Amino acid sequence: MNSSVRLILLFFGLLFLQVFILNNILFLGHINPYLYIVFVFLYPLKENRIPFLFYTFLLGLGVDFFSDSGGIHAFSILIIAYARLFFVKLYFRKVATDYAFFKLKSEPFGKRFNYVVTLTLIHHLIYFSFANFSLQNISGVILDTLFSSIFTLVLYFLGSYIFTKIE
């Protein structure tokens, strides 16, 4: 399948999944998986960075539109999209010439795990910090970040395991 078609399907598939299914899951009243951030993990590094940042912003804005969250999703996904290259260099020791050949699924599991966990925790911490917008509830922010990150990571790794077995 063409790379552009796969990215479009990934974009709309994650948007649909997040908006119509995952946003309706509230485990223990406030723990929600945010699987739409997988777009940041799976978007190819060899592509131009400006359209990537624009697409992630649109994805976050789409989730915000349906969630009535006022731009928090767009801001938090844009931050991890911008920081992605730093963590690719940090965890995978890649340079600009390696980007064209970089595939996340071909990297060792330990490095992939650290990369995905770091970006997920950053996203969730930013999201819940702005959602609460108060330092009086910092323990709630940390607990929501931790539990939602665990829920998101379990779904991501379970999904990536299932879809790699299908291919």
Side-chain angles (χ1 to χ4, degrees):
M1 187 182 308
N2 188 1
S3 176
S4 299
V5 173
R6 285 185 74 166
L7 288 175
I8 291 169
L9 288 175
L10 179 68
F11 180 93
F12 286 109
L14 287 171
L15 181 64
F16 177 81
L17 181 69
Q18 184 65 47
V19 167
F20 294 112
I21 297 170
L22 297 176
N23 278 356
N24 296 318
I25 297 174
L26 284 177
F27 187 67
L28 297 177
H30 54 88
I31 300 171
N32 191 356
Y34 296 108
L35 207 55
Y36 71 99
I37 64 173
V38 170
F39 186 77
V40 174
F41 308 148
L42 299 180
Y43 195 89
L45 284 178
K46 62 185 174 189
E47 302 294 326
N48 192 353
R49 193 169 184 189
I50 300 300
F52 167 64
L53 292 173
F54 179 70
Y55 299 148
T56 55
F57 176 73
L58 283 181
L59 180 61
L61 207 59
V63 174
D64 281 325
F65 178 77
F66 289 104
S67 304
D68 196 27
S69 53
I72 301 171
H73 288 286
F75 179 73
S76 53
I77 196 172
L78 195 58
I79 293 296
I80 66 167
Y82 187 78
R84 177 177 78 146
L85 280 181
F86 171 77
F87 290 108
V88 166
K89 291 175 186 175
L90 179 70
Y91 289 124
F92 303 111
R93 304 285 185 219
K94 301 292 182 189
V95 293
T97 55
D98 298 330
Y99 294 165
F101 308 107
F102 179 78
K103 289 198 180 282
L104 188 62
K105 67 181 178 181
S106 64
E107 295 296 324
F109 179 76
K111 291 180 179 182
R112 211 174 12 158
F113 182 81
N114 290 338
Y115 171 73
V116 169
V117 167
T118 302
L119 289 179
T120 302
L121 284 171
I122 291 170
H123 172 271
H124 285 43
L125 184 63
I126 292 169
Y127 173 77
F128 286 114
S129 295
F130 279 99
N132 287 323
F133 210 67
S134 172
L135 290 177
Q136 294 175 346
N137 193 17
I138 193 74
S139 62
V141 169
I142 292 172
L143 286 175
D144 287 349
T145 299
L146 181 66
F147 292 136
S148 290
S149 293
I150 290 170
F151 199 9
T152 301
L153 291 167
V154 165
L155 287 177
Y156 169 72
F157 284 114
L158 186 65
S160 69
Y161 177 75
I162 289 170
F163 286 115
T164 55
K165 292 296 180 186
I166 291 173
E167 291 178 355

